[in-house]
Amino acid sequence: MTNRQLLLGPLSKNNAILVQILGICSALAVTAKMEPALVMGISVTAVTALSSVILSFMRDIIPTRVRIIVQLVIVSMLVIIIDQLLKAFAYDVSKQLSVFVGLIITNCIIMGRIEAFALANKPWPSLLDGIGNGLGYAIVLLVVAFFRELLGSGTLFGIPVIPGILYQWGYANNGLMILPPAALILVGIVIWIHRARNKDLIEQQ
Amino acid sequence: MENLVNIFIRSTFIDNMIFAYFLGMCSFLAVSKTVKTSLGLGIAVAFVLLITVPINYLIDNYLLKPGALTWLLGEPASGIDLGYLSFIIFIAIVAAVVQLLEMFVEKFTPVLYNQLGIFLPLIAVNCAIMGASLFMQERDYANVAEATSFALGSGIGWLLAIIGIAAIREKLAYANIPAPLRGIGITFIITGLMAISFMSFLGISL
């Protein structure tokens, strides 16, 4: 694969959430608003990229038997750094994300990319692969959060965008969109649209 | 006692790991094709939860919290806060327990071991397990019994959820689903509908 494919492939054709079905847990939980979704997307991209590079450098010296522990230690170290940074510079968002910052450690995308790619490739392609997969994750998060915040609260990034006159005419925010089930259904619909456009991804019966 | 039952019911139905927090979705979606394997995975997850959460509770309260070390080192330790280490210690405990469980299952029930395949070691990175420990920390349960009750409830809630979706998916094999929605897409939407039905438990308490 060329570097370009490594970076851009995971954005659509090989998307971590929509195609590989990895990293769903946090993807659904932080998407009620755009802001936490954006912060989460950036955090996961950073951790995926950095952990891929570090483990790619170390790939020849890690004994196979203990590799999971080594991976977990490196990833949790990076996540602790992110957590402390968020607490210091974006305390509100860090409170909103609550346990989901810690759960980046167990995000399947990160472990999946390390196992499937970084441990068998040189650092530079691993970096691109990590960034690509992180961005693919972030895009899906932002798409879901866009619809949930727009339809559920009538705002984007906390700024009201639905004109007040609509509310006077009887428009109401859809309360269901803020609740957890809406995230599942929206991701289901995004997968539906994505597969309808990429016919080769359709599952055989 | 009533308090413990309340925590149990709350964590099983209202704050269900899957339907309210989406924790452990990866294995939930991947393993829920038949009821039999999902029962095995569900029991394994519930079991690991029941062991790791109380252990992590004790570690958090007697080693990591601000001032937690005073019982060991006396007054001078009251300013020590090792809270930033909690992520790495929790995940280490989880990984160790899962490793033990894997050896145990391989030795005593090889059939289940073969069926669970890659998903047994992956319980270590199952968000439900790590998530339960983090929620335990965030919600600040008063004693280890409450934390255990929370762990048991979460585990059983997860088990219920995965068996429910597996049973539905077994029937779905006979349904005529639009091609792009087949497989994972329809599973998401059904999980969403199940989550809506679980929301009817909101507000239940003893």
Side-chain angles (χ1 to χ4, degrees):
Chain A
M1 279 208 282
T2 63
N3 286 347
R4 194 184 151 79
Q5 281 171 320
L6 283 177
L7 192 60
L8 299 182
L11 296 190
S12 165
K13 277 272 176 193
N14 202 13
N15 190 286
I17 295 184
L18 301 181
V19 182
Q20 305 171 42
I21 319 294
L22 295 174
I24 309 287
C25 323
S26 53
L28 298 167
V30 301
T31 50
K33 292 264 185 312
M34 290 289 273
E35 198 187 0
L38 182 67
V39 173
M40 190 70 183
I42 296 172
S43 309
V44 170
T45 308
V47 175
T48 318
L50 290 174
S51 62
S52 283
V53 174
I54 295 175
L55 282 153
S56 174
F57 273 118
M58 293 170 66
R59 69 187 187 282
D60 292 330
I61 54 170
I62 304 175
T64 330
R65 293 189 69 100
V66 296
R67 68 181 195 286
I68 301 271
I69 302 283
V70 177
Q71 289 163 13
L72 282 176
V73 170
I74 304 268
V75 174
S76 26
M77 189 188 72
L78 291 165
V79 172
I80 289 175
I81 296 175
I82 298 261
D83 181 48
Q84 300 288 328
L85 280 177
L86 283 182
K87 276 186 181 146
F89 296 109
Y91 190 73
D92 293 341
V93 179
S94 143
K95 272 275 155 256
Q96 277 178 37
L97 290 174
S98 77
V99 300
F100 292 98
V101 181
L103 285 177
I104 298 178
I105 299 175
T106 53
N107 191 314
C108 325
I109 294 178
I110 296 169
M111 296 294 281
R113 286 335 288 169
I114 294 171
E115 283 277 301
F117 197 89
L119 287 182
N121 286 282
K122 292 207 168 76
W124 177 242
S126 303
L127 176 69
L128 293 178
D129 181 73
I131 295 178
N133 277 285
L135 288 180
Y137 170 89
I139 288 179
V140 177
L141 245 66
L142 287 175
V143 169
V144 175
F146 176 81
F147 287 107
R148 282 184 78 186
E149 188 172 353
L150 182 68
L151 300 176
S153 322
T155 58
L156 288 177
F157 287 104
I159 303 160
V161 286
I162 307 262
I165 187 123
L166 275 182
Y167 288 103
Q168 286 169 14
W169 288 346
Y171 174 83
N173 289 325
N174 183 349
L176 180 67
M177 279 293 158
I178 310 177
L179 297 171
L184 288 161
I185 294 172
L186 268 178
V187 172
I189 293 172
V190 173
I191 290 178
W192 186 0
I193 295 169
H194 188 251
R195 294 204 171 166
R197 294 187 48 176
N198 299 280
K199 297 275 184 214
D200 49 323
L201 296 176
I202 293 175
E203 286 176 37
Q204 299 305 314
Q205 230 161 8
Chain B
M1 191 59 208
E2 196 177 290
N3 190 19
L4 295 185
V5 178
N6 249 336
I7 292 180
F8 175 80
I9 290 184
R10 216 187 136 73
S11 50
T12 310
F13 294 108
I14 303 168
D15 289 342
N16 186 290
M17 279 286 167
I18 295 273
F19 298 129
Y21 296 106
F22 320 107
L23 296 179
M25 286 299 282
C26 302
S27 38
F28 175 81
L29 293 170
V31 180
S32 61
K33 289 202 179 89
T34 62
V35 171
K36 215 169 149 218
T37 33
S38 40
L39 182 68
L41 182 75
I43 292 175
V45 166
F47 183 72
V48 175
L49 270 174
L50 191 59
I51 297 179
T52 52
V53 172
I55 295 180
N56 283 339
Y57 180 86
L58 293 175
I59 289 183
D60 190 40
N61 276 276
Y62 291 103
L63 291 177
L64 301 177
K65 271 192 179 169
L69 280 169
T70 30
W71 65 274
L72 189 65
L73 304 171
E75 209 39 48
S78 60
I80 300 180
D81 176 7
L82 295 177
Y84 61 90
L85 283 179
S86 54
F87 290 170
I88 206 162
I89 302 233
F90 287 176
I91 196 75
I93 298 280
V94 170
V97 170
V98 169
Q99 192 77 60
L100 283 176
L101 183 74
E102 192 186 347
M103 291 194 243
F104 188 82
V105 172
E106 190 178 6
K107 181 110 174 73
F108 292 102
T109 54
V111 181
L112 184 63
Y113 182 78
N114 288 331
Q115 275 176 351
L116 292 179
I118 181 72
F119 286 98
L120 199 56
L122 277 186
I123 292 181
V125 285
N126 186 319
C127 334
I129 313 277
M130 182 69 179
S133 284
L134 294 173
F135 273 124
M136 172 273 295
Q137 189 188 30
E138 192 184 80
R139 291 181 193 161
D140 226 354
Y141 288 111
N143 53 47
V144 73
E146 283 190 16
T148 313
S149 161
F150 161 71
L152 186 67
S154 302
I156 295 199
W158 205 89
L159 179 66
L160 274 180
I162 195 170
I163 292 179
I165 194 83
I168 295 177
R169 281 182 80 174
E170 279 189 356
K171 297 281 175 220
L172 269 187
Y174 307 107
N176 189 11
I177 304 161
L181 203 53
R182 224 179 273 154
I184 214 70
I186 191 73
T187 311
F188 266 102
I189 292 178
I190 288 174
T191 313
L193 296 177
M194 284 174 78
I196 293 179
S197 66
F198 261 65
M199 275 168 55
S200 58
F201 290 114
L202 264 180
I204 291 182
S205 72
L206 292 183

